[in-house]
Amino acid sequence: MQTRLRLLHEFGQQLRALAPAVRLTRVRALAALSLGLLWAGRIALPAAAPAVPGRARDPSTERRFRRWLANRRVPVTALWRPLVRALLAGRAGTEVLLVLDPTPHNAVATVLVLGAVVHKRVLPVAW
């Protein structure tokens, strides 16, 4: 558990360096959510909460994640732009496959996502 706690702290610091204008609590929540989902191996908040080290109980951590995701004040663009630049920096000088993903949102709208294929996954670049 100490290793996960150390990794969570270091990832939070890296995210903070990429987005210094974003509130520290929002950056820390993003780090915890990201690593929790990664460690859980599933994209599900009930699975991610127990994977995050800390003193808070699992239901409390899950509620914190839900509040963070629902918070309209979380600056998605201010967090995502520097993060995607850092993630794609390792691909500099190599061929990058771009895909356009039209995802129906409801009967009226469609979300268009431009993404880069990285290790058989699509990393959203713009939407």
Side-chain angles (χ1 to χ4, degrees):
M1 193 60 90
Q2 278 301 95
T3 304
R4 285 189 175 189
L5 189 58
R6 188 175 336 110
L7 184 59
L8 178 61
H9 179 70
E10 290 174 7
F11 185 54
Q13 287 179 326
Q14 289 175 351
L15 286 177
R16 181 67 173 164
L18 290 172
V22 178
R23 293 180 66 171
L24 181 60
T25 54
R26 292 180 182 153
V27 171
R28 285 181 178 163
L30 175 61
L33 176 60
S34 302
L35 290 178
L37 293 170
L38 178 74
W39 290 327
R42 297 183 354 193
I43 304 297
L45 297 182
V52 176
R55 292 179 291 216
R57 293 185 178 191
D58 299 344
S60 175
T61 301
E62 184 182 341
R63 282 193 306 273
R64 181 169 47 117
F65 289 160
R66 290 188 190 283
R67 284 193 308 270
W68 187 86
L69 289 168
N71 188 347
R72 294 182 186 267
R73 292 184 179 168
V74 172
V76 174
T77 304
L79 284 166
W80 186 245
R81 281 193 181 147
L83 184 58
V84 78
R85 274 190 217 113
L87 292 170
L88 289 176
R91 309 282 303 172
T94 64
E95 186 175 303
V96 176
L97 177 64
L98 296 175
V99 295
L100 186 62
D101 176 23
T103 303
H105 177 59
N106 53 34
V108 182
T110 298
V111 178
L112 293 174
V113 178
L114 177 68
V117 178
V118 179
H119 300 294
K120 298 183 181 180
R121 302 277 187 217
V122 175
L123 179 64
V125 175
W127 54 90

